[in-house]
Protein backbone atom coordinates (compact mmCIF):
# COMPACT_ATOMS: atom_id res chain seq x y z
CA UNK A 1 0.00 0.00 0.00
CA UNK A 2 1.22 3.47 -0.85
CA UNK A 3 1.74 5.76 2.14
CA UNK A 4 -0.48 8.80 2.15
CA UNK A 5 0.38 10.52 5.41
CA UNK A 6 4.04 10.40 6.39
CA UNK A 7 5.45 11.82 9.61
CA UNK A 8 9.25 11.79 9.68
CA UNK A 9 11.35 12.30 12.80
CA UNK A 10 8.82 14.64 14.37
CA UNK A 11 9.77 16.39 17.57
CA UNK A 12 7.80 18.86 19.61
CA UNK A 13 9.13 20.68 22.63
CA UNK A 14 7.23 23.06 24.85
CA UNK A 15 10.06 25.01 26.43
CA UNK A 16 12.42 22.36 27.74
CA UNK A 17 9.69 19.73 27.87
CA UNK A 18 9.91 17.15 25.06
CA UNK A 19 6.33 16.18 24.24
CA UNK A 20 6.96 14.33 20.95
CA UNK A 21 10.22 12.46 20.60
CA UNK A 22 11.61 11.50 17.15
CA UNK A 23 8.34 10.12 15.92
CA UNK A 24 7.95 8.60 12.46
CA UNK A 25 4.85 6.87 11.15
CA UNK A 26 2.89 6.53 7.96
CA UNK A 27 -0.68 5.78 7.01
CA UNK A 28 -1.68 4.39 3.61
CA UNK A 29 -4.96 4.74 1.80
CA UNK A 30 -7.30 2.00 2.97
CA UNK A 31 -5.51 1.75 6.31
CA UNK A 32 -7.03 2.47 9.74
CA UNK A 33 -4.13 3.38 11.98
CA UNK A 34 -5.17 3.52 15.63
CA UNK A 35 -2.93 5.38 18.02
CA UNK A 36 -3.16 4.23 21.62
CA UNK A 37 -1.78 6.01 24.62
CA UNK A 38 -2.64 7.14 28.12
CA UNK A 39 -3.74 10.70 28.81
CA UNK A 40 -0.75 12.92 28.30
CA UNK A 41 1.12 10.49 26.02
CA UNK A 42 1.19 13.13 23.28
CA UNK A 43 -1.58 12.00 20.89
CA UNK A 44 -3.40 15.34 20.82
CA UNK A 45 -0.15 17.20 20.32
CA UNK A 46 0.65 14.94 17.38
CA UNK A 47 -2.76 15.60 15.83
CA UNK A 48 -2.30 19.33 16.40
CA UNK A 49 0.96 19.18 14.47
CA UNK A 50 -0.83 17.52 11.54
CA UNK A 51 -3.57 20.16 11.78
CA UNK A 52 -0.90 22.88 11.90
CA UNK A 53 -2.34 24.15 15.17
CA UNK A 54 1.20 23.77 16.48
CA UNK A 55 4.53 23.76 14.66
CA UNK A 56 6.98 20.89 15.04
CA UNK A 57 10.30 21.69 16.66
CA UNK A 58 11.88 19.31 14.13
CA UNK A 59 10.81 16.83 11.50
CA UNK A 60 8.43 16.83 8.55
CA UNK A 61 4.85 15.99 7.70
CA UNK A 62 3.83 15.08 4.16
CA UNK A 63 0.46 14.39 2.59
CA UNK A 64 0.38 12.37 -0.62
CA UNK A 65 4.12 12.87 -0.94
CA UNK A 66 3.96 16.67 -0.58
CA UNK A 67 4.55 19.02 2.33
CA UNK A 68 1.42 20.49 3.91
CA UNK A 69 0.27 23.46 1.86
CA UNK A 70 -3.08 25.12 1.33
CA UNK A 71 -3.69 22.56 -1.43
CA UNK A 72 -2.71 19.42 0.50
CA UNK A 73 -4.58 20.67 3.57
CA UNK A 74 -7.81 20.33 1.60
CA UNK A 75 -7.15 16.59 1.38
CA UNK A 76 -7.48 16.21 5.15
CA UNK A 77 -10.70 15.81 7.13
CA UNK A 78 -9.90 16.44 10.73
CA UNK A 79 -11.56 16.43 14.12
CA UNK A 80 -9.50 17.00 17.21
CA UNK A 81 -10.89 17.70 20.66
CA UNK A 82 -14.62 17.65 21.32
CA UNK A 83 -16.46 18.81 18.17
CA UNK A 84 -18.29 22.12 18.53
CA UNK A 85 -21.52 22.74 16.58
CA UNK A 86 -24.15 25.44 16.22
CA UNK A 87 -26.45 23.77 18.72
CA UNK A 88 -29.68 25.50 17.68
CA UNK A 89 -29.23 24.57 14.03
CA UNK A 90 -29.83 21.33 12.13
CA UNK A 91 -27.11 19.00 10.88
CA UNK A 92 -27.67 20.31 7.38
CA UNK A 93 -27.28 23.95 8.43
CA UNK A 94 -24.15 23.11 10.38
CA UNK A 95 -22.61 21.54 7.29
CA UNK A 96 -23.65 24.42 5.07
CA UNK A 97 -22.01 26.94 7.40
CA UNK A 98 -18.88 24.80 7.61
CA UNK A 99 -18.62 24.65 3.80
CA UNK A 100 -19.11 28.40 3.47
CA UNK A 101 -16.35 28.90 6.01
CA UNK A 102 -14.12 26.41 4.15
CA UNK A 103 -14.98 28.07 0.83
CA UNK A 104 -16.15 24.71 -0.47
CA UNK A 105 -18.91 24.82 -3.10
CA UNK A 106 -21.66 22.55 -1.80
CA UNK A 107 -24.50 21.10 -3.84
CA UNK A 108 -27.71 20.00 -2.15
CA UNK A 109 -27.26 16.49 -3.51
CA UNK A 110 -23.72 16.20 -2.10
CA UNK A 111 -24.94 17.49 1.26
CA UNK A 112 -27.70 14.93 1.28
CA UNK A 113 -25.36 12.12 0.16
CA UNK A 114 -22.85 12.96 2.89
CA UNK A 115 -25.52 12.93 5.60
CA UNK A 116 -26.78 9.59 4.31
CA UNK A 117 -23.24 8.23 4.17
CA UNK A 118 -22.81 8.77 7.91
CA UNK A 119 -26.31 7.51 8.70
CA UNK A 120 -28.07 10.83 9.35
CA UNK A 121 -31.40 11.51 7.65
CA UNK A 122 -31.10 14.62 5.42
CA UNK A 123 -34.73 15.52 6.10
CA UNK A 124 -34.21 15.52 9.88
CA UNK A 125 -34.94 19.04 11.12
CA UNK A 126 -33.90 18.36 14.74
CA UNK A 127 -31.51 20.89 16.27
CA UNK A 128 -28.11 19.49 17.11
CA UNK A 129 -28.71 20.25 20.81
CA UNK A 130 -31.21 17.37 20.77
CA UNK A 131 -28.83 14.89 19.12
CA UNK A 132 -27.56 11.80 20.91
CA UNK A 133 -23.80 11.49 21.29
CA UNK A 134 -23.80 8.92 18.48
CA UNK A 135 -25.56 11.39 16.15
CA UNK A 136 -23.10 14.12 17.10
CA UNK A 137 -20.20 11.82 16.23
CA UNK A 138 -21.84 11.07 12.88
CA UNK A 139 -22.18 14.78 12.25
CA UNK A 140 -18.55 15.27 13.21
CA UNK A 141 -17.67 12.63 10.62
CA UNK A 142 -19.91 14.27 8.00
CA UNK A 143 -18.12 17.56 8.62
CA UNK A 144 -14.76 15.83 8.16
CA UNK A 145 -15.93 14.17 4.95
CA UNK A 146 -17.96 16.84 3.22
CA UNK A 147 -15.05 18.22 1.20
CA UNK A 148 -14.10 14.69 0.04
CA UNK A 149 -10.70 14.34 1.72
CA UNK A 150 -8.28 11.45 1.21
CA UNK A 151 -7.17 11.40 4.84
CA UNK A 152 -9.18 11.44 8.07
CA UNK A 153 -7.51 12.39 11.35
CA UNK A 154 -9.89 11.93 14.26
CA UNK A 155 -9.35 12.09 17.97
CA UNK A 156 -11.32 9.51 19.99
CA UNK A 157 -14.29 8.99 17.62
CA UNK A 158 -15.61 6.19 19.86
CA UNK A 159 -15.40 8.06 23.15
CA UNK A 160 -18.59 8.09 25.21
CA UNK A 161 -20.62 6.12 22.66
CA UNK A 162 -22.93 3.29 23.70
CA UNK A 163 -22.14 -0.20 22.35
CA UNK A 164 -24.53 0.08 19.43
CA UNK A 165 -23.22 3.50 18.39
CA UNK A 166 -19.66 2.19 18.70
CA UNK A 167 -20.55 -0.69 16.42
CA UNK A 168 -22.11 1.63 13.86
CA UNK A 169 -19.14 3.99 13.96
CA UNK A 170 -16.80 1.04 13.53
CA UNK A 171 -18.70 -0.15 10.43
CA UNK A 172 -18.68 3.38 9.04
CA UNK A 173 -14.93 3.81 9.53
CA UNK A 174 -14.24 0.42 7.94
CA UNK A 175 -16.40 1.28 4.93
CA UNK A 176 -14.62 4.61 4.54
CA UNK A 177 -11.23 2.89 4.62
CA UNK A 178 -12.47 0.29 2.14
CA UNK A 179 -13.46 3.14 -0.18
CA UNK A 180 -9.83 4.29 -0.16
CA UNK A 181 -9.48 6.79 2.69
CA UNK A 182 -6.43 6.77 4.92
CA UNK A 183 -7.56 7.01 8.56
CA UNK A 184 -5.51 7.99 11.60
CA UNK A 185 -7.45 7.93 14.86
CA UNK A 186 -6.85 7.67 18.57
CA UNK A 187 -8.78 5.51 20.98
CA UNK A 188 -8.76 4.26 24.54
CA UNK A 189 -11.20 1.39 24.00
CA UNK A 190 -8.92 -1.59 23.57
CA UNK A 191 -11.59 -4.11 22.60
CA UNK A 192 -12.76 -1.81 19.82
CA UNK A 193 -9.26 -1.03 18.67
CA UNK A 194 -8.84 -4.69 17.75
CA UNK A 195 -12.16 -4.62 15.92
CA UNK A 196 -11.40 -1.58 13.80
CA UNK A 197 -7.64 -1.15 13.35
CA UNK A 198 -5.53 -2.42 10.50
CA UNK A 199 -2.44 -0.96 12.22
CA UNK A 200 -1.81 -0.15 15.88
CA UNK A 201 0.73 2.27 17.30
CA UNK A 202 1.32 2.86 21.00
CA UNK A 203 2.52 6.21 22.30
CA UNK A 204 4.05 6.58 25.71
CA UNK A 205 5.66 9.77 27.03
CA UNK A 206 5.92 11.18 23.50
CA UNK A 207 7.63 8.07 22.16
CA UNK A 208 6.04 5.79 19.56
CA UNK A 209 6.76 2.50 21.27
CA UNK A 210 5.86 0.43 18.23
CA UNK A 211 3.73 0.42 15.15
CA UNK A 212 2.55 -2.86 13.64
CA UNK A 213 -0.24 -4.41 11.57
CA UNK A 214 -3.00 -5.81 13.78
CA UNK A 215 -2.76 -9.22 12.10
CA UNK A 216 0.92 -9.65 12.96
CA UNK A 217 0.30 -8.48 16.54
CA UNK A 218 -2.52 -11.01 16.86
CA UNK A 219 -0.28 -13.73 15.49
CA UNK A 220 2.52 -12.82 17.85
CA UNK A 221 0.53 -12.21 21.04
CA UNK A 222 -2.76 -14.05 20.52
CA UNK A 223 -4.97 -13.73 23.59
CA UNK A 224 -2.25 -11.77 25.38
CA UNK A 225 -2.47 -8.85 22.94
CA UNK A 226 -4.46 -6.58 25.25
CA UNK A 227 -2.01 -7.27 28.08
CA UNK A 228 0.85 -6.36 25.78
CA UNK A 229 -0.82 -3.13 24.63
CA UNK A 230 -1.57 -2.09 28.21
CA UNK A 231 1.99 -2.88 29.24
CA UNK A 232 3.31 -0.70 26.42
CA UNK A 233 0.94 2.14 27.30
CA UNK A 234 1.52 1.98 31.04
CA UNK A 235 5.26 1.37 31.26
CA UNK A 236 7.60 4.18 32.13
CA UNK A 237 10.19 4.46 29.32
CA UNK A 238 12.64 5.87 31.88
CA UNK A 239 12.30 2.75 34.00
CA UNK A 240 15.21 0.39 33.43
CA UNK A 241 13.23 -2.87 33.70
CA UNK A 242 10.85 -1.61 31.08
CA UNK A 243 13.69 -0.60 28.78
CA UNK A 244 15.42 -3.98 29.07
CA UNK A 245 12.21 -5.94 28.56
CA UNK A 246 11.49 -3.94 25.44
N1 LIG B 1 0.76 24.05 25.15
C1 LIG B 1 1.42 23.23 25.97
N2 LIG B 1 2.40 23.68 26.77
C2 LIG B 1 3.09 22.86 27.57
N3 LIG B 1 2.87 21.52 27.67
C3 LIG B 1 1.90 21.01 26.91
C4 LIG B 1 1.12 21.82 26.02
N4 LIG B 1 0.24 21.00 25.38
C5 LIG B 1 0.44 19.76 25.86
N5 LIG B 1 1.43 19.77 26.78
C6 LIG B 1 1.95 18.60 27.50
O1 LIG B 1 2.31 17.65 26.54
C7 LIG B 1 2.03 16.32 27.01
C8 LIG B 1 1.18 15.59 25.99
O2 LIG B 1 -0.13 16.17 25.97
P1 LIG B 1 -1.25 15.71 24.94
O3 LIG B 1 -2.46 16.53 25.22
O4 LIG B 1 -0.70 15.71 23.58
O5 LIG B 1 -1.49 14.21 25.39
P2 LIG B 1 -2.64 13.19 24.94
O6 LIG B 1 -1.96 11.89 24.73
O7 LIG B 1 -3.40 13.73 23.81
O8 LIG B 1 -3.54 13.13 26.20
P3 LIG B 1 -5.12 13.34 26.29
O9 LIG B 1 -5.69 12.03 25.87
O10 LIG B 1 -5.30 13.66 27.74
O11 LIG B 1 -5.45 14.49 25.39
C9 LIG B 1 1.37 16.48 28.37
O12 LIG B 1 2.36 16.28 29.35
C10 LIG B 1 0.90 17.92 28.37
O13 LIG B 1 0.89 18.45 29.66
Amino acid sequence: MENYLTLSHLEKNYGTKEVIHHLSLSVAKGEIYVLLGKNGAGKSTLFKLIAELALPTNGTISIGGHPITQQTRKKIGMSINQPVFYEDLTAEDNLRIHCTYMDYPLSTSHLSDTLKLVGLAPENQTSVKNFSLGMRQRLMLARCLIHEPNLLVIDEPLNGLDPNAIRQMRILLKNLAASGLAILMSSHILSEVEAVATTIGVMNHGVLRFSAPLTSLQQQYGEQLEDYLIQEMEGDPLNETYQIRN
Side-chain angles (χ1 to χ4, degrees):
M1 280 192 292
E2 196 187 333
N3 291 334
Y4 191 70
L5 169 70
T6 306
L7 313 180
S8 303
H9 308 292
L10 272 192
E11 287 178 22
K12 178 66 184 172
N13 301 340
Y14 285 114
T16 54
K17 185 172 181 181
E18 203 174 41
V19 176
I20 304 286
H21 178 78
H22 270 289
L23 188 147
S24 298
L25 69 79
S26 54
V27 187
K29 286 188 177 178
E31 186 176 5
I32 304 181
Y33 188 120
V34 180
L35 201 54
L36 286 167
K38 288 199 299 186
N39 290 346
K43 306 175 303 294
S44 300
T45 302
L46 189 67
F47 286 6
K48 279 183 195 155
L49 295 179
I50 301 169
E52 295 184 296
L53 296 173
L55 288 175
T57 308
N58 274 308
T60 58
I61 300 173
S62 76
I63 309 284
H66 304 282
I68 299 187
T69 60
Q70 214 171 348
Q71 245 355 75
T72 51
R73 204 175 298 128
K74 288 183 183 161
K75 303 287 181 196
I76 312 176
M78 180 164 276
S79 176
I80 53 177
N81 304 325
Q82 201 60 21
V84 175
F85 301 111
Y86 296 97
E87 295 287 328
D88 290 324
L89 301 182
T90 62
E92 187 182 309
D93 288 339
N94 267 275
L95 292 180
R96 281 191 193 283
I97 292 172
H98 174 71
C99 288
T100 306
Y101 177 72
M102 296 275 288
D103 204 17
Y104 176 79
L106 179 66
S107 68
T108 305
S109 62
H110 182 59
L111 174 60
S112 168
D113 288 347
T114 307
L115 285 167
K116 282 189 211 152
L117 177 70
V118 300
L120 290 173
E123 62 282 359
N124 188 343
Q125 290 304 305
T126 311
S127 309
V128 169
K129 66 181 172 207
N130 296 318
F131 275 18
S132 66
L133 194 53
M135 289 169 80
R136 296 175 79 88
Q137 290 298 70
R138 285 159 184 271
L139 180 56
M140 172 277 289
L141 210 49
R143 194 165 63 184
C144 291
L145 291 168
I146 193 103
H147 61 292
E148 301 177 273
N150 294 328
L151 167 70
L152 279 184
V153 179
I154 30 181
D155 210 0
E156 301 281 357
L158 309 174
N159 230 10
L161 298 183
D162 64 38
N164 189 33
I166 287 184
R167 183 171 156 270
Q168 289 169 353
M169 184 58 80
R170 182 212 310 149
I171 293 168
L172 202 49
L173 292 169
K174 284 189 154 186
N175 287 342
L176 290 169
S179 76
L181 257 85
I183 301 178
L184 172 64
M185 59 178 265
S186 61
S187 183
H188 280 108
I189 309 170
L190 283 184
S191 54
E192 267 311 307
V193 168
E194 286 187 56
V196 77
T198 53
T199 306
I200 295 180
V202 170
M203 271 187 88
N204 185 334
H205 288 74
V207 175
L208 185 66
R209 296 287 309 164
F210 72 84
S211 191
L214 174 68
T215 45
S216 52
L217 287 169
Q218 284 170 329
Q219 266 172 20
Q220 191 173 353
Y221 295 99
E223 305 228 320
Q224 313 304 314
L225 179 55
E226 281 197 6
D227 293 341
Y228 173 66
L229 295 175
I230 290 170
Q231 169 196 303
E232 288 296 312
M233 285 194 287
E234 297 286 333
D236 176 358
L238 299 177
N239 177 296
E240 215 178 301
T241 319
Y242 180 71
Q243 283 176 0
I244 291 167
R245 192 182 57 226
N246 291 282

